[in-house]
Amino acid sequence: MSKTIFEKIIARELPANIVYEDDLVVAFRDINPQAPTHVLIVPRKPIPRIAEARPEDAPVLGHLLLKAAEVAEKLGLKPTGYRLVFNNGPDAGEAVPHLHCHILGGRRMGWPPG
Ligand code: DGP
């Protein structure tokens, strides 16, 4: 299997504006921001999407969510709020088959999502 864009970013084969990383996850600015702050946080492990996650992935997924909240706070989003989004499959608009959580903030969000 060829590497996804996000695997190349993790491997530093593609440039990205990385805002946080540790041994399990990497967070970087989205190239096509949909809000004043738009960051993606991804596991280093190439899980394609949440539907393909396995029971043994629970620790990394829990870690990813906790770090998403930390990154959002570090970027100043905690007081006004933010949205976390996982797009899973074609109807959700998933474009990159490497599990990623969108962290969106800095503007008022609509509901339901488009
Ligand atoms: P999704 O539609 O949920 O699969 O979101 C994929 C996101 O990935 C989309 O918001 C744009 C972002 N993206 C795609 N290619 C790149 C890239 O090369 N660099 C960065 N930083 N983001 C990218």
Side-chain angles (χ1 to χ4, degrees):
M1 284 284 280
S2 59
K3 282 185 185 174
T4 65
I5 291 167
F6 295 167
E7 283 178 274
K8 290 179 184 172
I9 287 174
I10 291 165
R12 300 294 210 277
E13 293 165 10
L14 277 179
N17 186 340
I18 292 175
V19 297
Y20 176 80
E21 65 181 319
D22 62 26
D23 56 337
L24 291 178
V25 299
V26 180
F28 51 90
R29 304 261 182 199
D30 195 291
I31 204 167
N32 183 22
Q34 302 300 313
T37 299
H38 187 172
V39 165
L40 303 171
I41 183 164
V42 309
R44 289 186 186 275
K45 179 179 176 181
I47 303 164
R49 60 193 59 78
I50 195 70
E52 263 68 62
R54 303 178 62 83
E56 60 266 29
D57 297 320
V60 70
L61 294 176
H63 181 80
L64 183 143
L65 280 178
L66 291 170
K67 290 300 167 184
E70 273 187 35
V71 167
E73 182 170 8
K74 179 177 143 188
L75 296 176
L77 301 177
K78 189 175 181 184
T80 46
Y82 52 89
R83 186 168 289 173
L84 302 182
V85 173
F86 293 84
N87 291 323
N88 188 101
D91 273 3
E94 178 201 301
V96 181
H98 183 124
L99 190 149
H100 48 283
C101 175
H102 295 258
I103 304 169
L104 296 145
R107 68 168 170 82
R108 189 87 181 176
M109 309 274 163
W111 192 263

